[in-house]
Structures are given as structure tokens and as C-alpha cells.
Amino acid sequence: MSLGLNKISTIAISEFKRMFNSPLAWSVLAILQFILAMIFLSRVDEFVAVFQQQMATADNAPGATFFIVSPVYLWAGIIMLAVMPIMTMRLFAEERMNKTLTLLKSSPVSSTQIVLGKYGGVLLFVVLFILMISLMPIALSFGTELDWGIIISSTLGLFLLLASFAAAGLFLSSLTSQPIIAAISSFGLLMFLVVLYLSGGSQSNSSELFIYLSHFSHFETFVRGIIDSSDIVYYLLFIVGFIILSIRKLDNDRLLG
């Protein structure tokens, strides 16, 4: 058991380091931090100029966490919908294109260990990204009182959202030898789930099923400070489902030689 975990962690760390061997990961993190910092600062300015005076006289009024921090996490989830397909497109597709996947499959590691290791590498990137975002509410806490319950809930929701994006991207990357096709396919799937949410929430064609199937309906619950077990189950089922599909794909590739 420990040997299997060691192999998974070795692959995960190797995959994480491989991301930063090129300028892509560095550039993505820098651009994301810049965009979200601009959103954060604009929300701070708006809160100080407008909402703070209005909320001072209201009972049980929402505070800085609601007006400043929650929108940052929400925007992070929206922006990462376009970024995660780029970060996952190389996981298997590039290895297949460079003919190195055959070497990986012939190594003394199981398909499960390979898939979990590569997925773990992406999760390390996700954790790094979320830690960078968390610096903003931490800095804000020195000047005002924050609702840490909402922040913890938003952080958990963002992690689950991005982990589900990564699982879908991992599987779609295993289906092709072209990274760009993997990225487009992943983005298309995630956008389809967004369309389900928009369609399910429209007044003329509302559908609770469409809303439930969409990522963002569950993510919004976390951003509001509510941790619902049904939302956690949704993300876990989504993640496990795509990981199992990725393992089966790799097993089939091994059987076909």
C-alpha cells in the first residue's frame, strides 16, 4: 500500500514540476493573480465608497466578506473554466504525441497509479493557485473583520470545482494525441455544463435537473457560505467518474499494445 502511494506521489510531483519547466504555468499564475487582484481592489474601492456607509445603518447587514471576498472566489471559478483545459491538455495527449506514453505504460506501475499520479500533479497546481488567492482575504483581515466561515466554504467549493474541471480534462486528454484538441474538448464540455445552468435558470424554460447537473449551481452554494453534503457528493461523483474512465482508457490502451 505504501509502495503504491509512493509511486503515485512520485508521479504527481514529477507532473507538477513538469508544468513549471515551461513558461506556461508561471504565466498563467501571474496573469490570474493580476486579474483577480484587480477585481479584489475594485471591490474594496466600491465597498469603501458605496456599501460601507449604506450598511453601517442596516441591521444584520452583510459585511466585507460578502461584498469583496466572495466575488473574488466566484470570478476565480469562472476564469478557471477557461484555464483548466489548458493546464490539463498535456497530461496524456502530449505523452502520446511524443511517444513517451508507451514507456510510461511499460513501467512497473499500474494504470490507476499513473492516472492518480497525474491527477495529483494537477491538484498540486490547484492548491497553489488557491493559496495565492487566499493571500488577498488574509491581507484584508488586518483592516476589517471577516467571516471566516464563508471564506472556508468558498475555498472548499473552489477546490472541488477546479478538481472536477481537472478530472474532466484528464480523461479528455487521454483520448487524443493532440493537446489542443484535448483543450478544446475540455472547454466544450465545461461550457456545455454552463449552458445547462443558464438554460435551467431561465424563466421560460426552467429545469431543476439542468441546474443540478451544472457545476456552478453547486459552487454558488459554497460561495454563499453554505456547505451542503449534496454539493460535495456531486463533485466527488463527477471526479471519481472521470478518473475511472481515464483508468479504463489506459487499461484498454495497454491491452491493445
Side-chain angles (χ1 to χ4, degrees), residues 175-207:
L175 299 179
T176 179
S177 60
Q178 298 296 326
I180 188 64
I181 294 177
I184 293 172
S185 301
S186 300
F187 181 71
L189 173 62
L190 299 180
M191 281 303 299
F192 172 72
L193 294 173
V194 173
V195 170
L196 283 181
Y197 174 68
L198 296 176
S199 299
S202 66
Q203 293 182 353
S204 60
N205 189 28
S206 62
S207 171

Side-chain angles (χ1 to χ4, degrees), residues 11-28:
I11 295 173
I13 294 172
S14 175
E15 190 65 39
F16 180 69
K17 289 180 178 178
R18 189 165 75 103
M19 288 183 184
F20 289 91
N21 286 336
S22 70
L24 178 62
W26 297 99
S27 302
V28 166

Side-chain angles (χ1 to χ4, degrees), residues 95 98-109 114 254:
E95 300 246 23
N98 295 335
K99 310 298 183 183
T100 56
L101 185 59
T102 303
L103 296 175
L104 188 60
K105 291 188 294 186
S106 62
S107 60
V109 289
I114 294 173
R254 276 180 157 169

Side-chain angles (χ1 to χ4, degrees), residues 54-213:
Q54 294 177 353
M55 296 299 105
T57 57
D59 294 331
N60 298 322
T65 307
F66 177 81
F67 285 106
I68 301 174
V69 180
S70 293
V72 171
Y73 280 94
L74 185 61
W75 272 107
I78 294 172
I79 295 171
M80 288 300 285
L81 183 145
V83 172
M84 285 306 294
I86 298 174
M87 301 310 302
T88 59
M89 66 181 183
R90 302 169 59 189
L91 291 175
F92 284 110
E94 189 176 62
E95 300 246 23
R96 201 186 300 274
M97 181 177 65
N98 295 335
K99 310 298 183 183
T100 56
L101 185 59
T102 303
L103 296 175
L104 188 60
K105 291 188 294 186
S106 62
S107 60
V109 289
S110 66
S111 298
T112 301
Q113 291 168 341
I114 294 173
V115 170
L116 291 180
K118 284 186 169 292
Y119 183 64
V122 183
L123 289 187
L124 289 175
F125 174 83
V126 168
V127 170
L128 176 61
F129 169 68
I130 293 176
L131 286 175
M132 291 175 61
I133 293 178
S134 300
L135 295 175
M136 287 182 274
I138 290 174
L140 189 63
S141 67
F142 291 103
T144 186
E145 185 176 346
L146 298 178
D147 188 333
W148 290 102
I150 294 179
I151 294 175
I152 292 172
S153 174
S154 299
T155 302
L156 175 61
L158 183 60
F159 174 78
L160 291 172
L161 179 75
L162 301 188
S164 66
F165 288 174
L170 175 76
F171 170 65
L172 292 168
S173 179
S174 71
L175 299 179
T176 179
S177 60
Q178 298 296 326
I180 188 64
I181 294 177
I184 293 172
S185 301
S186 300
F187 181 71
L189 173 62
L190 299 180
M191 281 303 299
F192 172 72
L193 294 173
V194 173
V195 170
L196 283 181
Y197 174 68
L198 296 176
S199 299
S202 66
Q203 293 182 353
S204 60
N205 189 28
S206 62
S207 171
E208 300 233 350
L209 177 61
F210 284 1
I211 292 176
Y212 180 80
L213 291 176

Side-chain angles (χ1 to χ4, degrees), residues 233-249:
V233 169
Y234 168 86
Y235 284 119
L236 292 180
L237 289 176
F238 190 96
I239 292 167
V240 171
F242 275 105
I243 287 177
I244 290 174
L245 288 174
S246 302
I247 294 171
R248 289 181 62 87
K249 172 59 179 172

